[in-house]
Amino acid sequence: MVKFPIYLDYHATTPLDPRVLGAMLPYLTEHFGNAASRTHAFGLRAEAAVTVAREEVAGALSAEPREIIFTSGATESNNLAILGAARAGRAKGDHVVTSVLEHRAVLDPCRQLEKEGFRVTYVAPDRHGVTSADAVAAALTERTILVSVMAANNEIGTLNPLAAIGHLCKERGVLFHTDAAQAFGKTPLAVHEVGVDLLSLSAHKICGPKGVGALWVRSLNPRVKLDPILYGGGHERGLRSGTLNVAGIAGLGAASRIALAEREAEEARVRALRDRLQLRLCAEIAGAFVNGGGAERLAGNLNIGFPGVRADGLMMDVRDVAVSAGSACTSATPEPSHVLRGLGLSPEEANVSVRFGLGRFTTEEEVDAAAERFVAAVRRRREAGTPRPALPPK
Ligand SMILES: *Cc1c(COP(=O)(O)O)cnc(C)c1O
């Protein structure tokens, strides 16, 4: 028997893996020390947990532990990377390149840089939703100091060619940041192979706790310099002051270790479930179209449009399956998703698109039950004769 409600919104957040909770609990109870209190056993115990976690996160990136800066999540990591690198590089130039498909946690710091006098170019994706190295190359100028392009998109799941963009940036002497909140733990991300200089990640997207993440900062060739965005006790090599969230960091470490160990098997399993869901919805719902379907995508992502049936209404009909219309992060605003619009969809096409996110605890039974409910709900809405005619197939 399937248990309702079914959670298929893994891009918004993920359930905490019980193994991760197990790794965190001691640091919420008996080992409550401050990791900066090196003068006694309580502090040393906490510091030891942070050291292990730093190795685990670095290990998942094939990086050095000292290059990991713990933060409150990918939003903070993106702010530190973008504001920090641009402000520290001001003497070299004043131009930043990013893409129109980025998460708000990248776009908004870029807007802030514009207020500070930087110029920002927002590169458009190709028709599949991919930001190509050629498009980035065309945007570079003599004054460019930073490129920020996400590893995997949080709405349509498309993967960007990081290695090609990294190669280009290296050639031009420009720093390359990637928001890997969705890709970390799900795609191979050895930082030296993909050629990035700064990488943001978040625990709660990989079955870890909310409110903790990290920024990887390259320490060699080049040694990346950042201006901090928080000032205080000088924790995390002066880049992120504030008492460390020891339990959260222990959770991020465990989540990273588990994701690394199980990534390949998990990816295949989740991809098979996603393909099953996609096949069934496309077979049983006339005109269904997959956003980003022409590109390499995250295994657990399915962003799909059902012509003539608005996603918000559909989600009300299928309340016991948790999915998302557009991006959960921006769903407080009624406008159609900037990602779907950036992909070239009309407002109508964007408004009929639903995002399914599958992950570690998703089962075949859940996928089948979800498909059945969505197929039935779309048919009901269409038979009820929505005045809006079905869009022509693309
Ligand atoms: C979730 C997400 C973020 C924000 O991460 P938080 O840890 O919640 O701050 C940023 N970028 C992308 C691509 C995301 O998916």
Side-chain angles (χ1 to χ4, degrees):
M1 269 304 286
V2 187
K3 216 173 116 238
F4 290 95
I6 294 172
Y7 189 76
L8 293 180
D9 201 12
Y10 272 72
H11 301 298
T13 193
T14 59
L16 189 67
D17 190 306
R19 297 170 288 180
V20 173
L21 177 62
M24 295 173 67
L25 279 175
Y27 302 97
L28 291 165
T29 50
E30 67 208 275
H31 303 311
F32 59 83
N34 184 327
S37 305
R38 298 210 178 100
T39 51
H40 54 64
F42 295 86
L44 291 173
R45 185 65 218 247
E47 192 198 20
V50 171
T51 299
V52 169
R54 209 182 290 283
E55 287 164 358
E56 288 170 327
V57 177
L61 295 169
S62 305
E64 297 297 322
R66 68 191 153 85
E67 298 176 314
I68 302 296
I69 305 297
F70 289 116
T71 65
S72 64
T75 298
E76 185 187 332
S77 298
N78 288 343
N79 274 264
L80 175 57
I82 293 167
L83 299 175
R87 289 170 183 164
R90 182 92 211 207
K92 287 202 202 125
D94 60 0
H95 181 235
V96 173
V97 175
T98 185
S99 91
V100 302
L101 297 197
E102 296 298 308
H103 192 277
R104 287 285 297 278
V106 164
L107 295 176
D108 287 0
C110 285
R111 292 269 181 247
Q112 175 58 29
L113 286 178
E114 291 186 76
K115 287 187 197 155
E116 295 175 17
F118 288 86
R119 283 191 318 109
V120 181
T121 302
Y122 300 87
V123 170
D126 69 15
R127 65 196 176 88
H128 301 299
V130 174
T131 301
S132 72
D134 285 347
V136 172
L140 295 180
T141 74
E142 289 300 305
R143 304 194 57 82
T144 310
I145 49 175
L146 175 68
V147 168
S148 181
V149 174
M150 68 202 321
N153 186 271
N154 49 299
E155 292 191 42
I156 55 178
T158 48
L159 305 180
N160 286 318
L162 294 189
I165 298 171
H167 187 75
L168 168 73
C169 289
K170 182 111 202 150
E171 238 174 38
R172 300 287 295 261
V174 173
L175 291 180
F176 179 28
H177 165 251
T178 192
D179 174 354
Q182 293 292 339
F184 178 66
K186 294 166 209 153
T187 67
L189 272 181
V191 283
H192 298 290
E193 275 164 39
V194 294
V196 295
D197 299 305
L198 293 152
L199 183 147
S200 303
L201 58 92
S202 179
H204 77 100
K205 303 294 175 76
I206 58 165
C207 301
K210 291 165 191 56
V212 59
L215 178 67
W216 170 77
V217 184
R218 180 184 289 276
S219 65
L220 212 67
N221 298 322
R223 179 181 179 79
V224 175
K225 287 208 192 67
L226 299 177
D227 276 9
I229 54 174
L230 288 179
Y231 296 87
H235 308 74
E236 299 296 275
R237 296 173 32 226
L239 287 177
R240 206 285 185 170
S241 287
T243 301
L244 293 182
N245 170 4
V246 178
I249 288 167
L252 171 58
S256 303
R257 167 170 44 78
I258 294 166
L260 179 68
E262 301 181 353
R263 187 179 61 73
E264 277 180 56
E266 258 305 283
E267 201 199 356
R269 191 189 72 85
V270 170
R271 184 181 302 279
L273 290 179
R274 189 274 311 275
D275 290 347
R276 182 182 178 95
L277 179 63
Q278 177 173 332
L279 269 173
R280 178 144 176 216
L281 292 175
C282 286
E284 298 186 24
I285 298 175
F289 58 91
V290 177
N291 298 311
E296 253 193 277
R297 267 182 302 158
L298 288 171
N301 176 274
L302 175 61
N303 194 307
I304 186 167
F306 307 119
V309 183
R310 285 186 58 101
D312 45 10
L314 193 58
M315 284 165 53
M316 302 267 256
D317 295 354
V318 194
R319 270 173 198 278
D320 49 9
V321 182
V323 295
S324 183
S327 162
C329 309
T330 55
S331 58
T333 53
E335 290 104 56
S337 130
H338 74 276
V339 170
L340 297 179
R341 296 286 283 132
L343 188 58
L345 268 63
S346 67
E348 290 72 30
E349 289 169 316
N351 285 333
V352 301
S353 294
V354 175
R355 180 185 71 181
F356 293 85
L358 286 61
R360 187 172 298 165
F361 301 103
T362 306
T363 65
E364 189 171 289
E365 291 71 31
E366 287 180 326
V367 163
D368 289 348
E372 191 179 307
R373 301 222 167 185
F374 271 89
V375 168
V378 169
R379 287 193 180 146
R380 262 198 317 275
R381 287 236 167 204
R382 283 186 177 169
E383 276 157 22
T386 338
R388 200 184 306 272
L391 297 169
K394 300 220 293 180

